[in-house]
Amino acid sequence: MSNPAIPLNDAPSQVRDLVVIGAGPAGMAAALAAQRRGLDVLLLDEQPQVGGQIYRSITQTDAQRERILGADYVYGKSLADQVRASGLTHWAGASVWQIDPDKTVHVLRNDRTTRIETKSLVIATGAMERPFPVPGWTLPGVMTAGAGQILLKNAAVVPQVPVVLAGCGPLLYLLAAQYLRAGVEIRAVLDTSAGTDWRLAIRHASSLLAGWGYVRKGLGLLREIKSAGIPFFKDVGGLRIEGEDAVRQVRFTSAGHSQQIDCELVLLHQGVVPNTQVSWSLRAEHHWDDEQLCWLPVLDSWGQTSLPGIYIAGDGAGIGGALVAEMQGALAGIGVANSLGFGTSEDGAQQRAQIAQHLRIRPFLNQQYRPKDEFRIPADEVVVCRCEEVTAGAIREQVQLGCVGPNQTKSFSRCGMGPCQGRQCGLTVTEIIAKEANLPPQEVGYYRIRPPLKSLSLAQLAAGV
Ligand SMILES: Cc1cc2nc3c(=O)[nH]c(=O)nc-3n(C[C@H](O)[C@H](O)[C@H](O)COP(=O)(O)OP(=O)(O)OC[C@H]3O[C@@H](n4cnc5c(N)ncnc54)[C@H](O)[C@@H]3O)c2cc1C
């Protein structure tokens, strides 16, 4: 199926050896590796500075924010410094809204569209938070933990009212610890993970030992939260956020007991998943991963997709964390240099060995923080598509009428057609249909993603150069 392009009046203004989309650890490392081997590289990101999610605003931070955000954040300075010292061309505030099959990249920057031709492409667009569709998740006063952290990193903004953190995964505990250091009052942490199944942990014993550094960090965060005396509820189920026009309370069960907490602000988080919008829009091959419960692009050993010359590095290739993202970025940069005949033909073996070593902890983490079915495949009443206000029940009805894929439910209900382009509901819709139709997610598939990947106005489109 070809990718329908939006007609444009803009003319190609740049031709590059490599365009890297995303200036997080993966994108920075890919651009640096390729540039050091002599390629003409353009590094693009919609954010105003390099850093990506983990090192967001790293070039503008101060000592107090560094203390709050911690050593893993500060590490990003060295990467940002290397980018600055390298003289790499970096376009900040550049949002990629379309990529053509011939790799032409369409960018919105300074309210104008620009077209860039390139011989190769590294997509390093990272991860996004997994949807957390529970009753009340659309109420004012509910945000994601990632959004809370973005406000902290970008603008040193923290909640002024007591906050309830709910969900699971390292980022939730990290934010709790960062909020504590910033003096935020945390009313409770509601941990939705099922707790450690020690039989499974033993099965992953070698993964645990190999990744002991990561485990130690995680335990340190939990210690920090618990020693601050924050109420910590384990094995949370039946989570509901309630209020007429804004959050007033949360109800849940913990270890079988019903609980209720009054609050005005709830931050939800149940892990991150690859942001695959760009690779889907290109019609690259993907497969459903039952361990990470998400779509992963099919890649070769350099990170090249099923489309020649188009690579993916970092969390967009599968969740591995920031250090793995950096290593994968370097590997993709070397792969591109090799393929274009720059430098010596390095085999990438050293990078692959390091990546494999860091990924050994993942089977344990995937198991430990696997989001429960009830928080991924919600009850009928729960809104799934926030943009078009489509409920899980409506999707199920459509399956009963014969819809067996997200593109059919989209036609029936506009589910996935709003401004977020299905990012907030895509995984949930695939899983609801799979369960209702008794099909594997791989067979159900995903939305057919079309441009524009990011919103732009007709005036911006018309202002193309
Ligand atoms: C909200 C959030 C917060 C996180 N915070 C942490 C943390 O504090 N600590 C931690 O260990 N891990 C954190 N993670 C996980 C984390 O993202 C990584 O492991 C790491 O940042 C991945 O690096 P990356 O280079 O693959 O992607 P990222 O760092 O996510 O970088 C991707 C970049 O691509 C850009 N981009 C995406 N789409 C486009 C487009 N269409 N046009 C132009 N630019 C685009 C984004 O602006 C972003 O800067 C966070 C994840 C999320 C979603």
Side-chain angles (χ1 to χ4, degrees):
M1 175 71 72
S2 69
N3 188 0
I6 291 179
L8 285 169
N9 67 354
D10 55 349
S13 52
Q14 306 280 334
V15 182
R16 304 277 177 173
D17 293 322
L18 171 64
V19 170
V20 178
I21 307 172
M28 287 191 280
L32 285 167
Q35 196 226 23
R36 283 172 187 152
R37 285 159 181 79
L39 279 76
D40 173 25
V41 182
L42 172 63
L43 176 62
L44 297 173
D45 200 301
E46 61 194 352
Q47 291 189 44
Q49 297 110 31
V50 296
Q53 293 291 8
I54 179 166
Y55 310 131
R56 186 180 277 273
S57 300
I58 190 71
T59 55
Q60 294 198 331
T61 190
D62 56 27
Q64 192 197 10
R65 237 181 295 174
E66 287 180 10
R67 182 190 61 76
I68 291 169
L69 293 168
D72 286 352
Y73 175 73
V74 177
Y75 168 86
K77 268 191 176 175
S78 65
L79 262 180
D81 285 347
Q82 287 176 58
V83 170
R84 196 180 49 232
S86 71
L88 254 174
T89 312
H90 166 230
W91 283 8
S95 181
V96 173
W97 60 274
Q98 176 171 322
I99 303 171
D100 297 341
D102 68 358
K103 306 187 197 70
T104 302
V105 180
H106 298 266
V107 179
L108 175 66
R109 189 174 174 235
N110 299 329
D111 271 342
R112 300 173 80 87
T113 54
T114 304
R115 196 145 52 114
I116 306 153
E117 289 183 1
T118 179
K119 294 174 192 159
S120 50
L121 198 59
V122 173
I123 301 165
T125 48
M128 57 189 190
E129 289 179 280
R130 181 189 291 283
F132 200 154
V134 288
W137 75 310
T138 53
L139 276 171
V142 184
M143 290 168 50
T144 68
Q149 202 204 39
I150 288 171
L151 288 170
L152 172 59
K153 285 179 178 169
N154 272 359
V157 169
V158 292
Q160 298 299 304
V161 294
V163 55
V164 169
L165 295 174
C168 61
L171 188 57
L172 189 80
Y173 313 132
L174 174 63
L175 181 68
Q178 290 170 338
Y179 270 180
L180 284 172
R181 293 172 209 152
V184 174
E185 186 184 334
I186 300 178
R187 187 150 285 167
V189 174
L190 317 184
D191 191 327
T192 57
S193 61
T196 305
D197 179 335
W198 289 108
R199 278 169 310 179
L200 282 169
I202 287 166
R203 212 167 75 202
H204 293 304
S206 65
S207 142
L208 260 173
L209 286 175
W212 187 246
Y214 288 101
V215 177
R216 208 179 45 225
K217 267 187 206 166
L219 291 173
L221 292 175
L222 285 172
R223 245 195 329 271
E224 203 172 334
I225 298 164
K226 289 181 182 172
S227 64
I230 308 297
F232 192 97
F233 293 90
K234 288 185 181 166
D235 193 13
V236 163
L239 179 64
R240 302 182 66 85
I241 305 165
E242 296 178 340
E244 282 285 309
D245 47 4
V247 177
R248 295 285 174 262
Q249 62 195 17
V250 286
R251 287 183 200 271
F252 56 96
T253 60
S254 171
H257 298 287
S258 298
Q259 304 282 353
Q260 177 190 327
I261 297 176
D262 293 342
C263 57
E264 292 171 42
L265 180 61
V266 180
L267 299 190
L268 296 173
H269 178 83
Q270 53 175 354
V272 294
V273 291
N275 175 1
T276 49
Q277 297 291 105
V278 173
S279 47
W280 277 112
S281 79
L282 284 161
R283 310 289 179 258
E285 274 178 45
H286 293 75
H287 69 94
W288 178 263
D289 185 88
D290 265 327
E291 271 197 22
Q292 294 198 354
L293 293 166
C294 60
W295 296 103
L296 300 182
V298 175
L299 303 175
D300 73 9
S301 63
W302 293 99
Q304 188 171 213
T305 64
S306 54
L307 308 168
I310 301 184
Y311 295 68
I312 301 183
D315 274 0
I319 302 306
L323 294 178
V324 169
E326 186 181 336
M327 294 168 203
Q328 287 176 337
L331 186 65
I334 296 169
V336 172
N338 284 348
S339 72
L340 296 181
F342 285 79
T344 56
S345 284
E346 295 160 77
D347 64 7
Q350 190 198 340
Q351 286 81 3
R352 278 189 209 97
Q354 285 176 337
I355 291 168
Q357 173 64 24
H358 280 266
L359 286 178
R360 286 188 67 185
I361 188 64
R362 288 288 145 184
F364 172 75
L365 292 180
N366 292 339
Q367 180 60 48
Q368 180 77 4
Y369 299 120
R370 187 180 174 89
K372 289 177 182 164
D373 287 4
E374 64 168 310
F375 297 135
R376 305 191 330 273
I377 309 173
D380 283 353
E381 66 178 289
V382 178
V383 169
V384 167
C385 169
R386 303 172 62 117
C387 304
E388 298 292 332
E389 298 186 349
V390 182
T391 61
I395 302 290
R396 290 193 178 98
E397 272 173 30
Q398 289 150 21
V399 175
Q400 292 311 320
L401 290 173
C403 293
V404 289
N407 294 303
Q408 287 174 310
T409 52
K410 192 195 227 180
S411 307
F412 269 61
S413 63
R414 295 187 51 83
C415 185
M417 283 179 79
C420 91
Q421 294 284 287
R423 286 177 185 81
Q424 290 278 334
C425 64
L427 286 179
T428 315
V429 170
T430 291
E431 287 212 85
I432 291 174
I433 298 174
K435 185 146 189 221
E436 195 66 12
N438 200 19
L439 290 170
Q442 182 71 38
E443 216 171 297
V444 170
Y446 192 63
Y447 290 132
R448 185 163 295 119
I449 302 298
R450 294 192 169 93
L453 294 162
K454 300 275 170 164
S455 311
L456 77 167
S457 67
L458 282 175
Q460 290 167 331
L461 198 58
V465 288

